Amino acid sequence: MRPDRKRELWKAFAKYHYLSDSFNVAAQVFVVTVNGQLAGFTAVLNFPHAIVKNALRIHRTVVLPAFQGIGLGITLRNMIAARVTSQGKQLLTTTTHPALIRQMHNDPRWVCTFKGRHSKPGKKSKLQVSSCNRLTTSWKYVPPK
């Protein structure tokens, strides 16, 4: 998908992201529609790491307000995760969103690898939103056998 198309799609979802409206156009973008209407967005990036090999990470997930609360976000993540792991790669994610944490905690395919606080309080601009006061969790998708 062209970077300008990714930016265009992201504009429809950015203001609904709970922490940040930034977006990396290098990400692979997945969009879900319901009856032809945009409903959900997830972006996935390569995860270069010295120890963790052959991994991707979820960069952004947003479900528009009219479609929230019906499990669309976790369903989209699970579909992407199944695709990624079928290609022999790992899928990782980090979130501070309470509803998403609950959904992933209740899904045996997601294994929590960290729970606590990653960031430290510090200076931030008026445009930045910090997760320093939020519980942060990291997860790895483990496909069913």
Side-chain angles (χ1 to χ4, degrees), residues 3 6-7 10 18 21 38 46-48 52 57 73 75 90 98 105 112 115 125 130 136 138-139 144:
K6 292 178 188 180
R7 282 188 198 96
W10 177 243
Y18 70 111
D21 64 356
L38 286 175
N46 286 323
F47 184 67
V52 179
R57 72 176 176 86
T75 300
Q90 298 181 68
H105 176 76
C112 186
K115 184 177 183 180
S125 77
S130 173
T136 300
S138 296
W139 303 83

Coordinates of all heavy atoms in Angstrom, one line a residue, residues 3 6-7 10 18 21 38 46-48 52 57 73 75 90 98 105 112 115 125 130 136 138-139 144:
P3 N 2.4 4.9 0.8 CA 2.4 5.7 2.0 C 1.3 6.7 2.1 O 0.8 6.9 3.2 CB 3.8 6.3 2.0 CG 4.7 5.4 1.2 CD 3.7 4.8 0.1
K6 N -1.8 5.0 3.2 CA -1.7 4.7 4.6 C -2.0 5.9 5.5 O -2.8 5.8 6.4 CB -0.3 4.2 5.0 CG 0.0 2.8 4.4 CD 1.4 2.4 4.8 CE 1.9 1.2 4.1 NZ 3.2 0.8 4.4
R7 N -1.4 7.0 5.1 CA -1.7 8.3 5.9 C -3.2 8.7 5.8 O -3.7 9.1 6.8 CB -0.8 9.4 5.3 CG 0.6 9.4 5.8 CD 1.3 10.7 5.3 NE 2.8 10.5 5.4 CZ 3.5 10.1 4.3 NH1 3.0 10.0 3.1 NH2 4.8 10.0 4.4
W10 N -5.1 6.4 8.1 CA -4.7 6.7 9.5 C -5.5 8.0 9.9 O -5.9 8.1 11.1 CB -3.2 6.9 9.7 CG -2.9 7.3 11.1 CD1 -2.3 8.4 11.5 CD2 -3.2 6.5 12.3 NE1 -2.1 8.5 12.8 CE2 -2.7 7.3 13.4 CE3 -3.8 5.3 12.6 CZ2 -2.8 6.9 14.7 CZ3 -3.9 4.9 13.9 CH2 -3.4 5.7 14.9
Y18 N -5.9 6.2 21.8 CA -6.0 6.6 23.2 C -4.7 7.3 23.7 O -4.8 8.0 24.8 CB -6.3 5.4 24.1 CG -5.2 4.3 24.2 CD1 -4.6 4.2 25.5 CD2 -4.9 3.5 23.2 CE1 -3.6 3.2 25.6 CE2 -4.0 2.5 23.3 CZ -3.3 2.4 24.5 OH -2.4 1.4 24.7
D21 N -1.4 10.3 18.3 CA -1.9 10.3 16.9 C -0.8 10.1 15.9 O -1.0 10.2 14.7 CB -2.7 11.6 16.6 CG -1.8 12.8 16.7 OD1 -0.6 12.7 17.0 OD2 -2.3 13.9 16.4
L38 N -15.5 2.0 7.3 CA -14.3 1.8 8.1 C -14.7 1.6 9.5 O -15.5 2.3 10.1 CB -13.4 3.0 8.0 CG -12.7 3.3 6.7 CD1 -11.9 4.6 6.7 CD2 -11.7 2.1 6.4
N46 N 8.2 -4.2 11.5 CA 9.3 -5.1 11.8 C 9.8 -4.7 13.1 O 9.8 -3.6 13.5 CB 10.4 -5.0 10.7 CG 10.0 -5.6 9.4 OD1 9.3 -6.6 9.4 ND2 10.3 -5.0 8.3
F47 N 10.3 -5.7 13.8 CA 10.9 -5.5 15.2 C 12.3 -6.0 15.2 O 12.6 -7.1 15.6 CB 10.0 -6.3 16.2 CG 10.4 -6.1 17.6 CD1 10.2 -4.8 18.2 CD2 10.9 -7.1 18.4 CE1 10.6 -4.6 19.5 CE2 11.3 -6.9 19.7 CZ 11.1 -5.7 20.3
P48 N 13.2 -5.2 14.7 CA 14.6 -5.6 14.8 C 15.1 -5.6 16.2 O 14.9 -4.6 17.0 CB 15.4 -4.5 14.0 CG 14.4 -3.3 13.9 CD 13.0 -3.8 14.2
V52 N 15.5 -11.1 20.1 CA 14.3 -11.6 19.5 C 14.5 -11.6 18.0 O 14.6 -10.6 17.4 CB 13.1 -10.8 20.0 CG1 11.8 -11.3 19.3 CG2 13.0 -10.8 21.5
R57 N 5.9 -6.3 15.4 CA 5.2 -5.8 16.6 C 4.0 -4.9 16.1 O 4.1 -4.3 15.0 CB 6.1 -4.9 17.5 CG 6.5 -3.6 17.0 CD 7.3 -2.8 18.0 NE 7.7 -1.6 17.5 CZ 7.1 -0.4 17.4 NH1 5.8 -0.4 17.9 NH2 7.6 0.7 16.9
G73 N -11.4 -5.2 17.8 CA -9.9 -5.0 17.8 C -9.1 -6.3 18.1 O -8.2 -6.5 17.4
T75 N -10.2 -9.3 17.6 CA -10.4 -10.2 16.4 C -9.5 -9.8 15.3 O -8.8 -10.7 14.7 CB -11.9 -10.2 15.9 OG1 -12.7 -10.6 17.0 CG2 -12.1 -11.0 14.8
Q90 N 7.2 -14.2 14.7 CA 6.6 -13.9 16.0 C 5.8 -12.6 15.9 O 6.3 -11.7 15.2 CB 7.7 -13.8 17.1 CG 8.5 -15.0 17.4 CD 9.5 -14.8 18.5 OE1 9.1 -14.6 19.6 NE2 10.7 -14.7 18.1
P98 N -6.7 -0.5 29.1 CA -7.3 -1.4 30.0 C -8.2 -2.5 29.4 O -8.2 -3.7 29.7 CB -8.1 -0.6 31.0 CG -7.5 0.8 30.9 CD -7.0 0.9 29.5
H105 N -5.7 -10.8 28.2 CA -5.6 -11.7 29.4 C -6.5 -12.9 29.3 O -6.2 -14.0 29.7 CB -5.9 -10.9 30.6 CG -5.8 -11.7 31.9 ND1 -4.7 -12.1 32.5 CD2 -6.8 -12.2 32.7 CE1 -4.9 -12.8 33.5 NE2 -6.2 -12.9 33.7
C112 N 1.3 -13.0 28.4 CA 1.9 -11.7 28.9 C 3.3 -11.9 29.3 O 3.7 -12.8 30.0 CB 1.1 -11.3 30.2 SG 1.6 -9.7 30.8
K115 N 4.5 -6.9 32.8 CA 3.4 -6.2 33.4 C 4.0 -5.2 34.4 O 4.7 -5.7 35.3 CB 2.4 -7.1 34.1 CG 1.2 -6.4 34.7 CD 0.3 -7.5 35.2 CE -1.0 -6.8 35.8 NZ -1.9 -7.8 36.3
S125 N 6.0 17.6 25.8 CA 5.3 18.7 25.2 C 3.8 18.6 25.4 O 3.3 17.6 25.8 CB 5.6 18.8 23.8 OG 4.9 17.9 23.0
S130 N 1.7 10.8 27.7 CA 2.7 9.8 28.3 C 1.9 8.6 28.9 O 0.8 8.8 29.4 CB 3.4 10.5 29.4 OG 4.2 9.6 30.2
T136 N 1.5 -0.9 32.1 CA 1.9 -1.3 30.7 C 2.1 -2.8 30.7 O 2.6 -3.4 31.7 CB 3.3 -0.6 30.4 OG1 3.1 0.8 30.5 CG2 3.8 -1.0 29.1
S138 N 3.1 -6.2 28.0 CA 3.7 -6.6 26.8 C 3.2 -8.1 26.6 O 3.1 -8.8 27.5 CB 5.2 -6.6 26.7 OG 5.6 -5.2 26.9
W139 N 3.0 -8.4 25.3 CA 2.4 -9.7 25.0 C 3.1 -10.4 23.8 O 3.5 -9.7 22.9 CB 0.9 -9.5 24.6 CG 0.1 -8.9 25.7 CD1 0.0 -7.5 26.0 CD2 -0.7 -9.5 26.7 NE1 -0.8 -7.3 27.1 CE2 -1.2 -8.5 27.6 CE3 -1.0 -10.9 27.0 CZ2 -2.0 -8.8 28.6 CZ3 -1.8 -11.2 28.1 CH2 -2.3 -10.1 28.9
P144 N -2.4 -21.6 18.5 CA -2.9 -22.9 19.1 C -2.2 -24.1 18.3 O -1.8 -23.9 17.2 CB -4.4 -22.9 18.8 CG -4.7 -21.7 18.0 CD -3.4 -20.9 17.9

